[in-house]
Amino acid sequence: MSLELTQLTPTGRDLEAILQKAAEHKGCGTEGGAGKSSCGSSSGPSDMSPEVWEKVKNHPCYSEEAHHHYARMHVAVAPACNIQCNYCNRKYDCANESRPGVVSEKLTPEVAAKKVLAVASTIPQMTVLGIAGPGDPLANPEKTFKTFELIARTAPDIKLCLSTNGLMLPDHVDTIKAFNVDHVTITINMVDPDVGAKIYPWVFYRNKRYTGREAAQILHERQMLGLEMLTERGILCKVNSVMIPGVNDHHLVEVNRAVKSRGAFLHNIMPLISAPEHGTVFGLTGQRGPTAQELKALQDSCEGEMNMMRHCRQCRADAVGLLGEDRSAEFTTEKLGAMEVRYDGETRKAYQQTVELEREAKVAARRSELEKLAGEHSDIKLLVAVATKGGGKINEHFGHAKEFQIYELSVGGAKFVGHRRVDLYCQGGFGEDTSLDTIIRAINDCHAVFVAKIGHCPKDTLQAAGIEPVDEFALEYTEKSAIAWFSRYLEKVRSGQILHTPRGDADIRQGAYIAPEDTHKLDCGDVSPADLAEALIAEESLVSA
Ligand code: CLF
Ligand code: SF4
């Protein structure tokens, strides 16, 4: 299938009709769910129309529940970008690092298509192919749509997904629809150009470079129009927003209202990742990211308006695997050359059927444990951390965890509310005290940490810090186990055996992940922050990359 992209640019009359429709929109309808109850990332089939459920049920980003079981992959076919965000620098790649815009190699559409088939053959639960950079997919429309065309032809069971800054979105909405791209993410950090001017130094639009408020105004108008056009066409739309304390943190409540009223399905508020070694403007000016409590408070306050995505891992533009794991190093171009690729749709289907059975068993276990809590009355809400490799189970050792999943427990059950990346405690067979300190700071707001196994030393230190290590539910389902533990906790509080006290705040890690074999290799090419700043400011060729 080949489309002439310019033929699909909307006419003025189309736009008028779309704006009228958007004005009549009453929140999330079939395209986006109906209000909060049907917009939820953790919602199930009974909460939404069958068409929407079909689209989200095995998409790891659009369904929190699915992300424990299904994987996504990104192909880095889109190097150029048409705007500059103060939190982005794509010039330097540190292989240890995971943040948007970072990739190890850029691909042609043809190599990307081969890579998708190789991953689909090796990881049968990989259900979604996303294009998310390293620049903006719609600043590289030919490469982006050529890749989608090749994948749709060779691996038709894979869902297509796109993430964009939205500047060129209105020009491409009909092409997106024609290619059956059912999921589009727009990163929207503001609906007020005065706020936008603090985030975007420039945009490059219709062959002209704009700066300051004018740049932000153009971007804002294009984002809103693009969102309205997508939801009008029944394309599920997620909005990503970066929370930047002191810049747009309070303003994001307004953004939430604006995107909900235009039919967005899900809102994903992510913490700013900002460190000097990233060479971003915010990193170099010392702009901090939010703490765990600040992020959760903002997400909670927006949830009254619309359900929130809380399981985003702020992936690399070449990420492969379950959210939270990265298998991209297994599929480099060099390794692809030596791989025998045998894409078999039937095998993939059979594997996914077993995943569905596991998923059903997990839901049934949670339901039966929750029934035991029926009739309980308590205002206590607390957080617990879980070490897992996926599958919705407590199946990771404390020392091997690269992240902990965070659940909020209450008499209503166990609710996934986030994750915390940590440095490995176990470094080549030895416990690393520095890592333990940072792990405790990362889960300091939790009352307990659930693990498959844990050594005496970290156990004692965690207990001293007021975090209960729990290893009695090894290899069992997370939610069922957490609810059972919480039931007992309530009983102990009731009997006076323990006193329930709130925990403090926790850190969201800003630095790179330290793999055991790569400890102390966190330099990003021996480039000083000052050099990075200069390179970034002097960078004017991004749009033609
Ligand atoms: Fe990729 Fe994005 Fe599609 Fe997911 S990621 S293009 S919607 S397939 Fe997902 Fe990664 Fe968060 Fe994005 S966890 S950064 S939300
Ligand atoms: Fe970086 Fe462009 Fe994405 Fe902004 S829109 S984060 S500048 S790639």
PDB file of all heavy atoms in Angstrom, residues 356-390:
ATOM      1  N   GLU A 356      -3.118 -15.846  28.102  1.00  0.00           N
ATOM      2  CA  GLU A 356      -4.475 -15.462  28.513  1.00  0.00           C
ATOM      3  C   GLU A 356      -4.983 -16.358  29.654  1.00  0.00           C
ATOM      4  O   GLU A 356      -5.653 -15.889  30.571  1.00  0.00           O
ATOM      5  CB  GLU A 356      -5.433 -15.530  27.311  1.00  0.00           C
ATOM      6  CG  GLU A 356      -5.261 -14.380  26.340  1.00  0.00           C
ATOM      7  CD  GLU A 356      -5.363 -13.007  27.002  1.00  0.00           C
ATOM      8  OE1 GLU A 356      -6.343 -12.742  27.709  1.00  0.00           O
ATOM      9  OE2 GLU A 356      -4.421 -12.205  26.839  1.00  0.00           O
ATOM     10  N   LEU A 357      -4.649 -17.646  29.600  1.00  0.00           N
ATOM     11  CA  LEU A 357      -5.083 -18.552  30.675  1.00  0.00           C
ATOM     12  C   LEU A 357      -4.433 -18.145  31.997  1.00  0.00           C
ATOM     13  O   LEU A 357      -5.073 -18.119  33.047  1.00  0.00           O
ATOM     14  CB  LEU A 357      -4.708 -20.004  30.332  1.00  0.00           C
ATOM     15  CG  LEU A 357      -5.472 -20.617  29.155  1.00  0.00           C
ATOM     16  CD1 LEU A 357      -4.952 -22.021  28.864  1.00  0.00           C
ATOM     17  CD2 LEU A 357      -6.973 -20.658  29.443  1.00  0.00           C
ATOM     18  N   GLU A 358      -3.162 -17.812  31.929  1.00  0.00           N
ATOM     19  CA  GLU A 358      -2.424 -17.374  33.117  1.00  0.00           C
ATOM     20  C   GLU A 358      -3.042 -16.086  33.674  1.00  0.00           C
ATOM     21  O   GLU A 358      -3.216 -15.914  34.883  1.00  0.00           O
ATOM     22  CB  GLU A 358      -0.958 -17.143  32.715  1.00  0.00           C
ATOM     23  CG  GLU A 358      -0.052 -16.632  33.807  1.00  0.00           C
ATOM     24  CD  GLU A 358       0.373 -17.705  34.806  1.00  0.00           C
ATOM     25  OE1 GLU A 358       0.041 -18.881  34.580  1.00  0.00           O
ATOM     26  OE2 GLU A 358       1.000 -17.344  35.817  1.00  0.00           O
ATOM     27  N   ARG A 359      -3.395 -15.221  32.746  1.00  0.00           N
ATOM     28  CA  ARG A 359      -3.990 -13.938  33.133  1.00  0.00           C
ATOM     29  C   ARG A 359      -5.322 -14.165  33.864  1.00  0.00           C
ATOM     30  O   ARG A 359      -5.611 -13.538  34.876  1.00  0.00           O
ATOM     31  CB  ARG A 359      -4.247 -13.172  31.835  1.00  0.00           C
ATOM     32  CG  ARG A 359      -3.895 -11.736  31.885  1.00  0.00           C
ATOM     33  CD  ARG A 359      -4.034 -11.186  30.492  1.00  0.00           C
ATOM     34  NE  ARG A 359      -4.515  -9.828  30.547  1.00  0.00           N
ATOM     35  CZ  ARG A 359      -4.684  -9.072  29.473  1.00  0.00           C
ATOM     36  NH1 ARG A 359      -4.409  -9.533  28.275  1.00  0.00           N
ATOM     37  NH2 ARG A 359      -5.129  -7.846  29.600  1.00  0.00           N
ATOM     38  N   GLU A 360      -6.111 -15.074  33.319  1.00  0.00           N
ATOM     39  CA  GLU A 360      -7.413 -15.372  33.939  1.00  0.00           C
ATOM     40  C   GLU A 360      -7.222 -15.960  35.328  1.00  0.00           C
ATOM     41  O   GLU A 360      -7.954 -15.626  36.264  1.00  0.00           O
ATOM     42  CB  GLU A 360      -8.213 -16.352  33.065  1.00  0.00           C
ATOM     43  CG  GLU A 360      -8.844 -15.702  31.862  1.00  0.00           C
ATOM     44  CD  GLU A 360      -9.356 -16.728  30.858  1.00  0.00           C
ATOM     45  OE1 GLU A 360      -9.608 -17.888  31.251  1.00  0.00           O
ATOM     46  OE2 GLU A 360      -9.479 -16.369  29.673  1.00  0.00           O
ATOM     47  N   ALA A 361      -6.243 -16.843  35.462  1.00  0.00           N
ATOM     48  CA  ALA A 361      -5.979 -17.462  36.774  1.00  0.00           C
ATOM     49  C   ALA A 361      -5.584 -16.391  37.788  1.00  0.00           C
ATOM     50  O   ALA A 361      -5.991 -16.421  38.950  1.00  0.00           O
ATOM     51  CB  ALA A 361      -4.870 -18.507  36.646  1.00  0.00           C
ATOM     52  N   LYS A 362      -4.808 -15.422  37.329  1.00  0.00           N
ATOM     53  CA  LYS A 362      -4.356 -14.349  38.214  1.00  0.00           C
ATOM     54  C   LYS A 362      -5.543 -13.502  38.684  1.00  0.00           C
ATOM     55  O   LYS A 362      -5.667 -13.178  39.874  1.00  0.00           O
ATOM     56  CB  LYS A 362      -3.355 -13.470  37.439  1.00  0.00           C
ATOM     57  CG  LYS A 362      -2.663 -12.442  38.288  1.00  0.00           C
ATOM     58  CD  LYS A 362      -1.782 -11.541  37.454  1.00  0.00           C
ATOM     59  CE  LYS A 362      -2.633 -10.512  36.754  1.00  0.00           C
ATOM     60  NZ  LYS A 362      -1.870  -9.526  36.007  1.00  0.00           N
ATOM     61  N   VAL A 363      -6.413 -13.171  37.751  1.00  0.00           N
ATOM     62  CA  VAL A 363      -7.590 -12.356  38.098  1.00  0.00           C
ATOM     63  C   VAL A 363      -8.493 -13.116  39.069  1.00  0.00           C
ATOM     64  O   VAL A 363      -9.008 -12.558  40.052  1.00  0.00           O
ATOM     65  CB  VAL A 363      -8.360 -11.956  36.808  1.00  0.00           C
ATOM     66  CG1 VAL A 363      -9.693 -11.297  37.145  1.00  0.00           C
ATOM     67  CG2 VAL A 363      -7.505 -11.020  35.962  1.00  0.00           C
ATOM     68  N   ALA A 364      -8.666 -14.420  38.835  1.00  0.00           N
ATOM     69  CA  ALA A 364      -9.524 -15.234  39.718  1.00  0.00           C
ATOM     70  C   ALA A 364      -8.932 -15.285  41.126  1.00  0.00           C
ATOM     71  O   ALA A 364      -9.654 -15.176  42.130  1.00  0.00           O
ATOM     72  CB  ALA A 364      -9.670 -16.640  39.143  1.00  0.00           C
ATOM     73  N   ALA A 365      -7.602 -15.430  41.218  1.00  0.00           N
ATOM     74  CA  ALA A 365      -6.944 -15.491  42.533  1.00  0.00           C
ATOM     75  C   ALA A 365      -7.136 -14.171  43.277  1.00  0.00           C
ATOM     76  O   ALA A 365      -7.414 -14.139  44.475  1.00  0.00           O
ATOM     77  CB  ALA A 365      -5.464 -15.790  42.353  1.00  0.00           C
ATOM     78  N   ARG A 366      -7.003 -13.062  42.561  1.00  0.00           N
ATOM     79  CA  ARG A 366      -7.175 -11.746  43.179  1.00  0.00           C
ATOM     80  C   ARG A 366      -8.610 -11.588  43.691  1.00  0.00           C
ATOM     81  O   ARG A 366      -8.850 -11.138  44.800  1.00  0.00           O
ATOM     82  CB  ARG A 366      -6.869 -10.649  42.147  1.00  0.00           C
ATOM     83  CG  ARG A 366      -7.114  -9.243  42.661  1.00  0.00           C
ATOM     84  CD  ARG A 366      -6.881  -8.212  41.590  1.00  0.00           C
ATOM     85  NE  ARG A 366      -7.815  -8.330  40.488  1.00  0.00           N
ATOM     86  CZ  ARG A 366      -7.630  -7.811  39.274  1.00  0.00           C
ATOM     87  NH1 ARG A 366      -6.524  -7.190  38.978  1.00  0.00           N
ATOM     88  NH2 ARG A 366      -8.546  -7.950  38.341  1.00  0.00           N
ATOM     89  N   ARG A 367      -9.558 -12.014  42.844  1.00  0.00           N
ATOM     90  CA  ARG A 367     -10.969 -11.855  43.208  1.00  0.00           C
ATOM     91  C   ARG A 367     -11.285 -12.648  44.479  1.00  0.00           C
ATOM     92  O   ARG A 367     -11.934 -12.145  45.397  1.00  0.00           O
ATOM     93  CB  ARG A 367     -11.848 -12.321  42.046  1.00  0.00           C
ATOM     94  CG  ARG A 367     -13.275 -11.813  42.141  1.00  0.00           C
ATOM     95  CD  ARG A 367     -14.136 -12.282  41.000  1.00  0.00           C
ATOM     96  NE  ARG A 367     -13.663 -11.883  39.685  1.00  0.00           N
ATOM     97  CZ  ARG A 367     -13.436 -12.699  38.674  1.00  0.00           C
ATOM     98  NH1 ARG A 367     -13.613 -13.996  38.812  1.00  0.00           N
ATOM     99  NH2 ARG A 367     -13.020 -12.250  37.515  1.00  0.00           N
ATOM    100  N   SER A 368     -10.780 -13.880  44.536  1.00  0.00           N
ATOM    101  CA  SER A 368     -11.133 -14.702  45.695  1.00  0.00           C
ATOM    102  C   SER A 368     -10.484 -14.157  46.973  1.00  0.00           C
ATOM    103  O   SER A 368     -11.086 -14.178  48.040  1.00  0.00           O
ATOM    104  CB  SER A 368     -10.783 -16.160  45.418  1.00  0.00           C
ATOM    105  OG  SER A 368      -9.610 -16.511  46.026  1.00  0.00           O
ATOM    106  N   GLU A 369      -9.281 -13.597  46.869  1.00  0.00           N
ATOM    107  CA  GLU A 369      -8.637 -13.016  48.065  1.00  0.00           C
ATOM    108  C   GLU A 369      -9.369 -11.754  48.498  1.00  0.00           C
ATOM    109  O   GLU A 369      -9.531 -11.477  49.698  1.00  0.00           O
ATOM    110  CB  GLU A 369      -7.168 -12.702  47.742  1.00  0.00           C
ATOM    111  CG  GLU A 369      -6.286 -12.526  48.950  1.00  0.00           C
ATOM    112  CD  GLU A 369      -6.179 -13.780  49.816  1.00  0.00           C
ATOM    113  OE1 GLU A 369      -5.956 -14.863  49.264  1.00  0.00           O
ATOM    114  OE2 GLU A 369      -6.339 -13.641  51.047  1.00  0.00           O
ATOM    115  N   LEU A 370      -9.819 -10.998  47.498  1.00  0.00           N
ATOM    116  CA  LEU A 370     -10.516  -9.737  47.788  1.00  0.00           C
ATOM    117  C   LEU A 370     -11.835  -9.994  48.517  1.00  0.00           C
ATOM    118  O   LEU A 370     -12.254  -9.201  49.373  1.00  0.00           O
ATOM    119  CB  LEU A 370     -10.758  -8.997  46.463  1.00  0.00           C
ATOM    120  CG  LEU A 370     -10.993  -7.495  46.516  1.00  0.00           C
ATOM    121  CD1 LEU A 370      -9.946  -6.778  47.360  1.00  0.00           C
ATOM    122  CD2 LEU A 370     -11.005  -6.920  45.101  1.00  0.00           C
ATOM    123  N   GLU A 371     -12.471 -11.105  48.179  1.00  0.00           N
ATOM    124  CA  GLU A 371     -13.740 -11.436  48.838  1.00  0.00           C
ATOM    125  C   GLU A 371     -13.552 -11.557  50.352  1.00  0.00           C
ATOM    126  O   GLU A 371     -14.441 -11.246  51.140  1.00  0.00           O
ATOM    127  CB  GLU A 371     -14.308 -12.733  48.269  1.00  0.00           C
ATOM    128  CG  GLU A 371     -15.061 -12.497  46.963  1.00  0.00           C
ATOM    129  CD  GLU A 371     -15.360 -13.791  46.227  1.00  0.00           C
ATOM    130  OE1 GLU A 371     -15.157 -14.881  46.812  1.00  0.00           O
ATOM    131  OE2 GLU A 371     -15.773 -13.706  45.057  1.00  0.00           O
ATOM    132  N   LYS A 372     -12.354 -12.004  50.749  1.00  0.00           N
ATOM    133  CA  LYS A 372     -12.097 -12.157  52.184  1.00  0.00           C
ATOM    134  C   LYS A 372     -12.019 -10.810  52.892  1.00  0.00           C
ATOM    135  O   LYS A 372     -12.147 -10.724  54.105  1.00  0.00           O
ATOM    136  CB  LYS A 372     -10.783 -12.928  52.404  1.00  0.00           C
ATOM    137  CG  LYS A 372     -10.816 -14.330  51.851  1.00  0.00           C
ATOM    138  CD  LYS A 372      -9.482 -15.021  52.103  1.00  0.00           C
ATOM    139  CE  LYS A 372      -9.365 -16.274  51.263  1.00  0.00           C
ATOM    140  NZ  LYS A 372      -8.002 -16.750  51.138  1.00  0.00           N
ATOM    141  N   LEU A 373     -11.772  -9.747  52.107  1.00  0.00           N
ATOM    142  CA  LEU A 373     -11.697  -8.400  52.700  1.00  0.00           C
ATOM    143  C   LEU A 373     -13.074  -7.742  52.789  1.00  0.00           C
ATOM    144  O   LEU A 373     -13.212  -6.667  53.379  1.00  0.00           O
ATOM    145  CB  LEU A 373     -10.795  -7.508  51.842  1.00  0.00           C
ATOM    146  CG  LEU A 373      -9.316  -7.364  52.204  1.00  0.00           C
ATOM    147  CD1 LEU A 373      -8.657  -6.382  51.251  1.00  0.00           C
ATOM    148  CD2 LEU A 373      -9.137  -6.874  53.630  1.00  0.00           C
ATOM    149  N   ALA A 374     -14.071  -8.373  52.178  1.00  0.00           N
ATOM    150  CA  ALA A 374     -15.410  -7.783  52.149  1.00  0.00           C
ATOM    151  C   ALA A 374     -15.894  -7.541  53.581  1.00  0.00           C
ATOM    152  O   ALA A 374     -15.716  -8.392  54.456  1.00  0.00           O
ATOM    153  CB  ALA A 374     -16.364  -8.714  51.407  1.00  0.00           C
ATOM    154  N   GLY A 375     -16.465  -6.396  53.808  1.00  0.00           N
ATOM    155  CA  GLY A 375     -16.969  -6.094  55.154  1.00  0.00           C
ATOM    156  C   GLY A 375     -15.943  -5.400  56.030  1.00  0.00           C
ATOM    157  O   GLY A 375     -16.274  -4.888  57.096  1.00  0.00           O
ATOM    158  N   GLU A 376     -14.672  -5.363  55.589  1.00  0.00           N
ATOM    159  CA  GLU A 376     -13.636  -4.647  56.350  1.00  0.00           C
ATOM    160  C   GLU A 376     -13.877  -3.145  56.246  1.00  0.00           C
ATOM    161  O   GLU A 376     -14.230  -2.643  55.174  1.00  0.00           O
ATOM    162  CB  GLU A 376     -12.235  -4.939  55.763  1.00  0.00           C
ATOM    163  CG  GLU A 376     -11.688  -6.287  56.137  1.00  0.00           C
ATOM    164  CD  GLU A 376     -10.979  -6.260  57.491  1.00  0.00           C
ATOM    165  OE1 GLU A 376     -11.077  -5.234  58.189  1.00  0.00           O
ATOM    166  OE2 GLU A 376     -10.361  -7.281  57.840  1.00  0.00           O
ATOM    167  N   HIS A 377     -13.693  -2.426  57.335  1.00  0.00           N
ATOM    168  CA  HIS A 377     -13.772  -0.964  57.281  1.00  0.00           C
ATOM    169  C   HIS A 377     -12.486  -0.406  57.837  1.00  0.00           C
ATOM    170  O   HIS A 377     -12.138  -0.654  58.991  1.00  0.00           O
ATOM    171  CB  HIS A 377     -14.964  -0.451  58.094  1.00  0.00           C
ATOM    172  CG  HIS A 377     -16.275  -0.903  57.526  1.00  0.00           C
ATOM    173  ND1 HIS A 377     -16.811  -0.365  56.379  1.00  0.00           N
ATOM    174  CD2 HIS A 377     -17.133  -1.872  57.925  1.00  0.00           C
ATOM    175  CE1 HIS A 377     -17.941  -0.984  56.092  1.00  0.00           C
ATOM    176  NE2 HIS A 377     -18.167  -1.908  57.018  1.00  0.00           N
ATOM    177  N   SER A 378     -11.774   0.318  57.022  1.00  0.00           N
ATOM    178  CA  SER A 378     -10.532   0.947  57.483  1.00  0.00           C
ATOM    179  C   SER A 378     -10.160   2.028  56.478  1.00  0.00           C
ATOM    180  O   SER A 378     -10.345   1.857  55.269  1.00  0.00           O
ATOM    181  CB  SER A 378      -9.404  -0.087  57.568  1.00  0.00           C
ATOM    182  OG  SER A 378      -8.187   0.579  57.807  1.00  0.00           O
ATOM    183  N   ASP A 379      -9.633   3.142  56.994  1.00  0.00           N
ATOM    184  CA  ASP A 379      -9.162   4.213  56.105  1.00  0.00           C
ATOM    185  C   ASP A 379      -7.702   4.020  55.727  1.00  0.00           C
ATOM    186  O   ASP A 379      -7.141   4.820  54.991  1.00  0.00           O
ATOM    187  CB  ASP A 379      -9.284   5.582  56.802  1.00  0.00           C
ATOM    188  CG  ASP A 379     -10.744   5.947  57.017  1.00  0.00           C
ATOM    189  OD1 ASP A 379     -11.577   5.436  56.239  1.00  0.00           O
ATOM    190  OD2 ASP A 379     -11.035   6.717  57.952  1.00  0.00           O
ATOM    191  N   ILE A 380      -7.094   2.979  56.266  1.00  0.00           N
ATOM    192  CA  ILE A 380      -5.653   2.818  56.033  1.00  0.00           C
ATOM    193  C   ILE A 380      -5.383   2.530  54.557  1.00  0.00           C
ATOM    194  O   ILE A 380      -6.012   1.667  53.944  1.00  0.00           O
ATOM    195  CB  ILE A 380      -5.078   1.674  56.904  1.00  0.00           C
ATOM    196  CG1 ILE A 380      -5.132   2.072  58.380  1.00  0.00           C
ATOM    197  CG2 ILE A 380      -3.658   1.329  56.483  1.00  0.00           C
ATOM    198  CD1 ILE A 380      -4.632   1.003  59.332  1.00  0.00           C
ATOM    199  N   LYS A 381      -4.452   3.307  54.023  1.00  0.00           N
ATOM    200  CA  LYS A 381      -3.936   3.059  52.665  1.00  0.00           C
ATOM    201  C   LYS A 381      -2.430   3.058  52.803  1.00  0.00           C
ATOM    202  O   LYS A 381      -1.874   3.959  53.445  1.00  0.00           O
ATOM    203  CB  LYS A 381      -4.304   4.202  51.718  1.00  0.00           C
ATOM    204  CG  LYS A 381      -5.659   4.092  51.094  1.00  0.00           C
ATOM    205  CD  LYS A 381      -5.818   5.180  50.054  1.00  0.00           C
ATOM    206  CE  LYS A 381      -7.197   5.063  49.425  1.00  0.00           C
ATOM    207  NZ  LYS A 381      -7.445   6.104  48.441  1.00  0.00           N
ATOM    208  N   LEU A 382      -1.773   2.105  52.223  1.00  0.00           N
ATOM    209  CA  LEU A 382      -0.312   2.111  52.303  1.00  0.00           C
ATOM    210  C   LEU A 382       0.294   1.534  51.024  1.00  0.00           C
ATOM    211  O   LEU A 382      -0.395   0.889  50.225  1.00  0.00           O
ATOM    212  CB  LEU A 382       0.157   1.330  53.541  1.00  0.00           C
ATOM    213  CG  LEU A 382      -0.316  -0.108  53.725  1.00  0.00           C
ATOM    214  CD1 LEU A 382       0.545  -1.076  52.929  1.00  0.00           C
ATOM    215  CD2 LEU A 382      -0.236  -0.477  55.213  1.00  0.00           C
ATOM    216  N   LEU A 383       1.582   1.801  50.854  1.00  0.00           N
ATOM    217  CA  LEU A 383       2.275   1.331  49.652  1.00  0.00           C
ATOM    218  C   LEU A 383       3.178   0.147  49.975  1.00  0.00           C
ATOM    219  O   LEU A 383       3.748   0.082  51.084  1.00  0.00           O
ATOM    220  CB  LEU A 383       3.143   2.445  49.056  1.00  0.00           C
ATOM    221  CG  LEU A 383       2.449   3.737  48.653  1.00  0.00           C
ATOM    222  CD1 LEU A 383       3.450   4.722  48.033  1.00  0.00           C
ATOM    223  CD2 LEU A 383       1.306   3.479  47.663  1.00  0.00           C
ATOM    224  N   VAL A 384       3.295  -0.774  49.031  1.00  0.00           N
ATOM    225  CA  VAL A 384       4.278  -1.850  49.149  1.00  0.00           C
ATOM    226  C   VAL A 384       5.045  -1.954  47.829  1.00  0.00           C
ATOM    227  O   VAL A 384       4.531  -1.584  46.770  1.00  0.00           O
ATOM    228  CB  VAL A 384       3.625  -3.225  49.468  1.00  0.00           C
ATOM    229  CG1 VAL A 384       2.950  -3.198  50.831  1.00  0.00           C
ATOM    230  CG2 VAL A 384       2.656  -3.660  48.384  1.00  0.00           C
ATOM    231  N   ALA A 385       6.280  -2.435  47.920  1.00  0.00           N
ATOM    232  CA  ALA A 385       7.117  -2.605  46.723  1.00  0.00           C
ATOM    233  C   ALA A 385       7.211  -4.091  46.392  1.00  0.00           C
ATOM    234  O   ALA A 385       7.191  -4.933  47.303  1.00  0.00           O
ATOM    235  CB  ALA A 385       8.514  -2.046  46.997  1.00  0.00           C
ATOM    236  N   VAL A 386       7.300  -4.416  45.100  1.00  0.00           N
ATOM    237  CA  VAL A 386       7.311  -5.824  44.685  1.00  0.00           C
ATOM    238  C   VAL A 386       8.456  -6.065  43.699  1.00  0.00           C
ATOM    239  O   VAL A 386       8.620  -5.321  42.726  1.00  0.00           O
ATOM    240  CB  VAL A 386       5.967  -6.195  44.009  1.00  0.00           C
ATOM    241  CG1 VAL A 386       5.995  -7.638  43.509  1.00  0.00           C
ATOM    242  CG2 VAL A 386       4.804  -5.974  44.956  1.00  0.00           C
ATOM    243  N   ALA A 387       9.226  -7.118  43.945  1.00  0.00           N
ATOM    244  CA  ALA A 387      10.291  -7.512  43.009  1.00  0.00           C
ATOM    245  C   ALA A 387       9.730  -8.571  42.066  1.00  0.00           C
ATOM    246  O   ALA A 387       9.301  -9.632  42.510  1.00  0.00           O
ATOM    247  CB  ALA A 387      11.480  -8.073  43.788  1.00  0.00           C
ATOM    248  N   THR A 388       9.713  -8.264  40.773  1.00  0.00           N
ATOM    249  CA  THR A 388       9.102  -9.192  39.817  1.00  0.00           C
ATOM    250  C   THR A 388       9.842  -9.180  38.489  1.00  0.00           C
ATOM    251  O   THR A 388      10.429  -8.177  38.101  1.00  0.00           O
ATOM    252  CB  THR A 388       7.620  -8.817  39.584  1.00  0.00           C
ATOM    253  OG1 THR A 388       7.065  -9.686  38.585  1.00  0.00           O
ATOM    254  CG2 THR A 388       7.470  -7.378  39.121  1.00  0.00           C
ATOM    255  N   LYS A 389       9.772 -10.330  37.817  1.00  0.00           N
ATOM    256  CA  LYS A 389      10.290 -10.419  36.444  1.00  0.00           C
ATOM    257  C   LYS A 389       9.140 -10.349  35.454  1.00  0.00           C
ATOM    258  O   LYS A 389       9.327 -10.525  34.263  1.00  0.00           O
ATOM    259  CB  LYS A 389      10.976 -11.772  36.231  1.00  0.00           C
ATOM    260  CG  LYS A 389      12.253 -11.958  36.964  1.00  0.00           C
ATOM    261  CD  LYS A 389      12.788 -13.347  36.607  1.00  0.00           C
ATOM    262  CE  LYS A 389      13.799 -13.788  37.614  1.00  0.00           C
ATOM    263  NZ  LYS A 389      14.109 -15.174  37.599  1.00  0.00           N
ATOM    264  N   GLY A 390       7.914 -10.222  35.935  1.00  0.00           N
ATOM    265  CA  GLY A 390       6.750 -10.177  35.061  1.00  0.00           C
ATOM    266  C   GLY A 390       5.783 -11.303  35.373  1.00  0.00           C
ATOM    267  O   GLY A 390       6.010 -12.112  36.281  1.00  0.00           O
TER     268      GLY A 390
END
